[in-house]
Amino acid sequence: MRGRVYPSWITTSLIPSYNTRARRFQVASPRQLTFAINNDHIEQHVEPSSVPDADLAPTATEGYKVGQAKTLDELQRLDAEDESLARWKASLGLGATAATPASGPNVEVLTLSLHSPTRPQPIVLDLAQPEKLKALKKDPVVIKEGAEYSVELSFRVNNLVSGLKYLQVVRRMGTNVDKLESMIGSYGPAAEPITKRFVSEEAPTGMLARSGSYAVRSRVIDDDGKVYADFEWTFKLAKEW
């Protein structure tokens, strides 16, 4: 794994070593900050975000072009004799037993949770209830310093979605200290919620890391640029969970 490049204002004595099993983000300079937490509807942002929209832009793949959008019915009838295409459609759940498309957005993001082998129960953020996210403004999520943990997303697919992706930016002192961009996949409608766990992170350690809070902005987006979730939360590091 290639080492992360740290800004010159971080002394080498404060730079943590990499764990080969997990990603690790850098630590910004110490200062107690308060970050806004909101779960506003995507169409109506009431509060300005501490993480700019541009920082959540997905990485473009050179030469990749999004295909023409097709309805679920069109895909099911497409090249019925093509075995490879049939296998691809089956991987999306587009077979004879496919779930019936439901009303509402193609994707509904239900929860974001943090899982760690050093914690018996996950920390769960209920994304369906905005008032609970806003309560985190006064009570940030606590992550144990040095702990390995993973972000897991739970969502419901109501209709065909292609190239679903999760983006997450961690920001402190007005500077981005970490970004996670992970492909979730393509799905047809499903009767039950789907979960996706992302690459493990390793929390920083030390007094510098424990001072202040970190702002996180998370977004779920598809190939067409449609945003299904865009919300903010905060966390702080402590010696224990």
Side-chain angles (χ1 to χ4, degrees), residues 212-228:
S213 301
Y214 299 79
V216 187
R217 185 172 176 186
S218 299
R219 176 178 286 179
V220 178
I221 190 171
D222 68 10
D223 260 353
D224 294 320
K226 187 171 184 178
V227 177
Y228 297 101

Side-chain angles (χ1 to χ4, degrees), residues 10-38:
I10 300 179
T11 63
T12 56
S13 62
L14 296 175
I15 297 176
S17 60
Y18 265 83
N19 182 302
T20 57
R21 298 173 302 164
R23 297 171 67 248
R24 192 170 193 172
F25 57 84
Q26 63 199 36
V27 179
S29 58
R31 182 179 173 187
Q32 183 69 40
L33 298 178
T34 302
F35 296 94
I37 298 176
N38 64 76

Side-chain angles (χ1 to χ4, degrees), residues 3 8 17 24 138 158 183 194 211 214 219 227 236-237:
S8 59
S17 60
R24 192 170 193 172
K138 296 181 179 179
N158 296 322
M183 178 62 70
I194 298 168
S211 62
Y214 299 79
R219 176 178 286 179
V227 177
K236 63 181 181 180
L237 299 171

